[in-house]
């Protein structure tokens, strides 16, 4: 009898402990989920924004890459015009601020969440480390790809990279650099956008990517025009450039369905991808766009145009930075 009474007492004690412990655990998990998602994390609204992004970026890409192809009829659309240079500088400022002011802070928030264990996530600055590696890997990709194209370039008649083909102040090699190598970078970046459930981050990314695809498309379209390809080749290049970025978003949406968006795994995946995207964006804006243009012969030959371009960069970066107050 004593043993039975003792067993009952232990059972009752366990039940009472569990009755208090389970709500506490559920409450802690709820608080963790709330802290990790916040007011900006809404999966349904984020999906709507991603679908809008797919259509918007697709249209911006098509318009951008096709505009120079009609420039012979409309000279104002030529990529060598001063207005194009200034607007491209504005878009570069938008991309730069998106990486620093929107994507990078979102990575910090995810990887420093209380839902993740202190060790290792709060013991080491993973966000800045991954961003740094991303920038270096992007540089390596550009460098090795440029070397490959120099070594195995198409001849000058084919509009390739080994000729000193000067037209509108632009070499054939620059066409490959600005038009051909960035598709993979954007694809990786949009995997991140497609996987994210932070609608406050997605909104400015849509604007930044539309700007980027529009003006990168115009640069690539100018190269396609210079190369004088046939209609079939032009159509293939336009199709490939226009669909690569939307495909990256679709791929990201698919990845977001693999795991729960409120789990520690989601925080780690999205945080690391955001950090990688931030490093990629910052490299692309500073090196591939701003440095290439401002150190190029066109801007170096005109202090006036250079000054207007700097103003455009500051306006683009400033506008996106102000948006960080609400996004």
């Amino acid at each position: 009898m004593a043993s039975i009474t003792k067993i009952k007492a232990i059972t009752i004690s366990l039940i009472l402990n569990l009755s208090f412990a389970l709500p506490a655990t559920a409450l802690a998990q709820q608080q963790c989920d709330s802290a990790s998602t916040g007011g900006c994390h809404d999966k349904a609204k984020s999906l709507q924004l991603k679908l809008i992004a797919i259509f918007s970026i697709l249209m911006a890409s098509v318009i951008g890459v096709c505009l120079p192809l009609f420039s012979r009829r409309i000279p104002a659309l030529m990529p060598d015009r001063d207005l194009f240079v200034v607007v491209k500088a504005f878009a570069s400022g938008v991309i730069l601020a998106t990486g620093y002011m929107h994507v990078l802070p979102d990575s910090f928030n995810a990887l420093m969440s209380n839902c993740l264990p202190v060790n290792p996530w709060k013991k080491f600055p993973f966000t800045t480390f991954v961003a740094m590696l991303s920038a270096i890997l992007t540089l390596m990709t550009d460098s090795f790809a440029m070397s490959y194209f120099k070594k195995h370039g198409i001849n000058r008649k084919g509009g390739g990279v080994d000729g000193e083909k000067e037209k509108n102040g632009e070499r054939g090699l620059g066409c490959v650099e600005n038009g051909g190598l960035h598709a993979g970078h954007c694809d990786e970046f949009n995997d991140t956008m497609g996987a994210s459930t932070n609608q406050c981050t997605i909104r400015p990314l849509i604007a930044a990517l539309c700007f980027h695809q529009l003006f990168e498309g115009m640069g690539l379209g100018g190269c396609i025009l210079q190369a004088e390809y046939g209609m079939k080749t032009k159509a293939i290049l336009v199709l490939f450039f226009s669909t690569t970025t939307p495909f990256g978003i679709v791929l990201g949406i698919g990845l977001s369905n693999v795991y729960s968006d409120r789990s520690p795994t989601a925080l780690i995946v999205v945080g690391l991808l955001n950090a990688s995207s931030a490093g990629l964006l910052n490299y692309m804006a500073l090196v591939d766009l701003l440095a290439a243009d401002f150190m190029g012969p066109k801007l170096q030959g005109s202090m006036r145009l250079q000054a207007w371009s700097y103003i455009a960069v500051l306006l683009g970066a400033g506008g996106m930075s102000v948006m960080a107050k609400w996004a």
Side-chain angles (χ1 to χ4, degrees), residues 1 20 50 58 67 91 146 162 186 189 201 217 318:
M1 290 295 292
F20 287 106
K50 293 170 191 176
L58 177 63
L67 277 178
M146 294 281 285
D162 58 347
C186 291
F189 173 48
T201 300

Side-chain angles (χ1 to χ4, degrees), residues 2 13 52 58-59 70 77 118 156 163 213 238 297:
S13 176
I52 293 173
L58 177 63
M59 292 305 298
F70 298 98
L77 299 179
V118 174
R156 184 179 303 181
Q213 290 299 106
V238 168

Side-chain angles (χ1 to χ4, degrees), residues 73-281:
R73 298 181 181 178
I74 310 175
L77 299 179
M78 290 295 291
D80 64 324
R81 300 287 177 168
D82 290 353
L83 179 60
F84 174 81
V85 175
V86 173
V87 176
K88 185 181 178 184
F90 176 86
S92 301
V94 170
I95 295 171
L96 182 65
T98 300
Y100 275 113
M101 301 299 295
H102 295 272
V103 182
L104 201 62
D106 199 47
S107 175
F108 274 113
N109 291 336
L111 297 182
M112 297 299 290
S113 170
N114 292 330
C115 301
L116 298 180
V118 174
N119 190 18
W121 301 106
K122 293 181 177 64
K123 299 289 187 180
F124 186 79
F126 282 97
T127 293
T128 49
F129 179 71
V130 172
M132 176 184 68
L133 289 182
S134 175
I136 294 174
L137 288 174
T138 306
L139 172 62
M140 291 173 59
T141 302
D142 275 350
S143 176
F144 283 123
M146 294 281 285
S147 298
Y148 176 83
F149 280 114
K150 278 185 177 181
K151 185 177 180 180
H152 304 283
I154 308 171
N155 59 32
R156 184 179 303 181
K157 183 178 179 180
V161 301
D162 58 347
E164 295 294 325
K165 184 174 182 180
E166 295 280 351
K167 190 171 183 181
N168 300 326
E170 189 172 14
R171 294 176 59 185
L173 182 59
C175 291
V176 175
E177 177 187 5
N178 292 325
L181 302 182
H182 292 158
H185 301 340
C186 291
D187 194 31
E188 177 188 346
F189 173 48
N190 284 292
D191 290 352
T192 303
M193 176 179 174
S196 176
T197 60
N198 189 335
Q199 55 184 316
C200 297
T201 300
I202 293 174
R203 286 194 189 99
L205 289 184
I206 295 175
L209 283 167
C210 284
F211 270 115
H212 177 266
Q213 290 299 106
L214 178 66
F215 295 109
E216 279 293 304
M218 291 178 72
L220 178 60
C223 295
I224 295 174
L225 182 65
Q226 292 175 24
E228 298 182 352
Y229 290 123
M231 186 60 64
K232 182 179 179 181
T233 303
K234 289 180 180 178
I236 293 174
L237 292 172
V238 168
L239 178 66
F240 180 78
F241 175 79
S242 302
T243 57
T244 299
T245 300
F247 174 76
I249 300 175
V250 173
L251 183 60
I253 294 174
L255 291 175
S256 68
N257 295 324
V258 176
Y259 52 82
S260 171
D261 60 329
R262 298 187 177 187
S263 68
T265 301
L267 291 172
I268 294 171
V269 171
V270 173
L272 292 177
L273 286 176
N274 277 336
S276 176
S277 296
L280 187 153
L281 278 177

Side-chain angles (χ1 to χ4, degrees), residues 310-324:
Y310 273 121
I311 293 173
V313 172
L314 293 174
L315 287 175
M320 289 302 293
S321 298
V322 171
M323 286 183 62

